[in-house]
Amino acid sequence: MPSDTKSRIQAVARELFVQQGVQNTSLRQISDRLGITKPALYYHFASRDDLVRSIVEPLVEDIERFAATRGPGDARVLLEDYFELIWRHREVIVMMVRDLSALGYLDLGERMFGWRRQIIALLFGDEPTTAQRIRATVALGGMSDCAVEFADLPLNEVKPTAVEAAAAALALP
Amino acid sequence: MPSDTKSRIQAVARELFVQQGVQNTSLRQISDRLGITKPALYYHFASRDDLVRSIVEPLVEDIERFAATRGPGDARVLLEDYFELIWRHREVIVMMVRDLSALGYLDLGERMFGWRRQIIALLFGDEPTTAQRIRATVALGGMSDCAVEFADLPLNEVKPTAVEAAAAALALP
DNA sequence: GTCTATAGTGGGATAGAC
DNA sequence: GTCTATCCCACTATAGAC
């Protein structure tokens, strides 16, 4: 029954963060919309950063599990599963990429770089050539852009073509 | 002779913005590094936003000219020229994408959407199918990511493969 | 063209009552 | 769990002397 106050705070905060950016959203705005006062937030979260972190965490955990638990396998299936992963989290991804510098304390820049390297390793092995890394960047970055730009379309109108384009960028057979 | 104070302010500001984000950089930091005081900046720029705008402007003008003055032509050449365009501006693009929400007052989100639509029109005509728009997003977004992620490599080590991957994503012959 | 001094604002955060 | 009241801080911006 996660409709307690803590969850409601997170829901409102996520909505405001996505709409207008993390930096542009104050605790005041969040508490106002909930009909409570600013200090009340501090009963549920130790700090503003703590609140932001709690919203980004599910995405981070999902991606890290994806990159860590997967073995080498069919590249096309990997692209499909990766697309579904970022599609599930596309709202938080919008929030993240639009405000990366505001989330600097989470080291997201560095960590994203690490995730991508792991996925490239699944595609091309531990020592990919520069050309392979470039192709993988077009493929993975392009799919991310699709999940963001076509966020309002149904998944099955976007995924097949996005995966097809990414596979072509990778020069998959 | 653009080594006057105004240009030096812009150079220092751009460097700090790229390094640590726009929102995370204060006028104080900029003036300190220049060895002048904060109010001195206001002699050269009407406001903080005005300074930021002056740094983003060259990129915006270049892209808008690119999208506006070009006719339909060879798609691969278009990809090549587009890549060189974003490569030239990759530092400011890093700054922009890492802090999009801080630049909300410049309407960059909306305008980027418009630029991309114009370039897609050059590739696929005025009424592209959804599939064409998805493929174009993978191609153009993927190339942008490359310009950012491989910013330290020489152009001719990145461009050929990035363009090749983008062309494949578009399903070009 | 640059300074000193300061106004004015808004944010995050805490103390302590209820 | 939520409130009132308040602190402290950093920032943008302006006024006015030099």
Side-chain angles (χ1 to χ4, degrees):
Chain A
M1 218 77 29
S3 187
D4 51 7
T5 305
K6 184 163 181 168
S7 305
R8 287 174 53 235
I9 294 173
Q10 291 172 320
V12 166
R14 181 166 44 240
E15 191 186 336
L16 288 174
F17 288 162
V18 171
Q19 275 176 13
Q20 50 184 332
V22 177
Q23 295 252 44
N24 297 330
T25 303
S26 67
L27 298 183
R28 170 78 200 274
Q29 274 181 294
I30 295 169
S31 59
D32 273 7
R33 181 169 296 201
L34 284 161
I36 61 178
T37 59
K38 208 169 44 161
L41 300 177
Y42 282 88
Y43 176 81
H44 301 278
F45 297 94
S47 68
R48 184 188 200 274
D49 287 358
D50 190 42
L51 169 58
V52 174
R53 196 187 336 265
S54 81
I55 289 172
V56 177
E57 222 156 52
L59 159 69
V60 170
E61 282 175 9
D62 241 26
I63 290 195
E64 296 197 332
R65 183 170 38 236
F66 182 90
T69 68
R70 233 181 145 97
D74 186 284
R76 198 173 220 96
V77 174
L78 180 78
L79 291 182
E80 285 171 0
D81 294 348
Y82 181 76
F83 187 84
E84 291 204 5
L85 173 70
I86 56 183
W87 184 265
R88 271 198 302 282
H89 294 284
R90 61 196 187 280
E91 283 212 335
V92 175
I93 290 180
V94 168
M95 163 190 138
M96 229 178 64
V97 299
R98 279 208 326 209
D99 242 321
L100 261 188
S101 87
L103 278 51
Y105 61 94
L106 291 174
D107 263 341
L108 285 177
E110 272 311 305
R111 291 165 81 178
M112 282 177 68
F113 194 77
W115 305 334
R116 192 162 284 187
R117 217 183 36 210
Q118 288 185 56
I119 294 174
I120 293 176
L122 292 175
L123 288 166
F124 292 119
D126 279 338
E127 287 183 356
T129 65
T130 299
Q132 287 172 328
R133 291 172 56 218
I134 292 171
R135 284 179 174 279
T137 297
V138 174
L140 301 177
M143 285 201 300
S144 281
D145 279 26
C146 281
V148 169
E149 186 147 340
F150 302 101
D152 296 330
L153 295 182
L155 170 64
N156 58 22
E157 255 182 67
V158 183
K159 181 183 155 192
T161 310
V163 169
E164 183 61 32
L170 288 179
L172 291 188
Chain B
M1 216 81 23
S3 188
D4 51 8
T5 304
K6 183 162 182 170
S7 304
R8 287 174 53 234
I9 294 173
Q10 290 172 320
V12 166
R14 179 165 47 240
E15 191 185 335
L16 289 174
F17 289 161
V18 171
Q19 275 177 14
Q20 51 184 333
V22 177
Q23 295 253 48
N24 297 329
T25 303
S26 67
L27 296 183
R28 169 78 200 275
Q29 276 180 293
I30 295 169
S31 59
D32 273 7
R33 183 169 293 202
L34 283 161
I36 61 177
T37 59
K38 211 170 35 163
L41 300 177
Y42 282 87
Y43 176 82
H44 301 279
F45 297 94
S47 69
R48 185 187 199 277
D49 287 358
D50 189 41
L51 169 58
V52 175
R53 195 187 337 264
S54 81
I55 289 172
V56 178
E57 221 156 55
L59 159 69
V60 170
E61 282 175 9
D62 241 27
I63 291 195
E64 296 197 333
R65 183 171 38 237
F66 182 90
T69 68
R70 235 181 143 97
D74 186 283
R76 195 173 289 259
V77 173
L78 180 78
L79 291 182
E80 285 172 1
D81 293 348
Y82 180 76
F83 186 84
E84 293 205 4
L85 173 70
I86 58 184
W87 184 264
R88 271 199 301 281
H89 294 284
R90 62 196 186 281
E91 284 213 332
V92 175
I93 289 179
V94 168
M95 164 189 138
M96 229 177 65
V97 299
R98 280 209 327 211
D99 241 322
L100 260 188
S101 87
L103 278 50
Y105 61 93
L106 291 174
D107 262 341
L108 285 178
E110 273 311 305
R111 291 165 81 179
M112 283 177 66
F113 194 77
W115 305 333
R116 192 163 284 188
R117 217 182 36 209
Q118 288 185 56
I119 294 174
I120 293 176
L122 292 176
L123 288 166
F124 292 119
D126 280 339
E127 287 183 355
T129 65
T130 299
Q132 286 172 328
R133 290 172 57 217
I134 292 171
R135 285 179 174 277
T137 297
V138 174
L140 301 178
M143 285 202 299
S144 281
D145 278 26
C146 282
V148 168
E149 187 147 338
F150 302 102
D152 295 329
L153 296 181
L155 170 64
N156 57 24
E157 256 183 64
V158 183
K159 181 182 154 192
T161 310
V163 169
E164 184 61 34
L170 288 179
L172 290 188

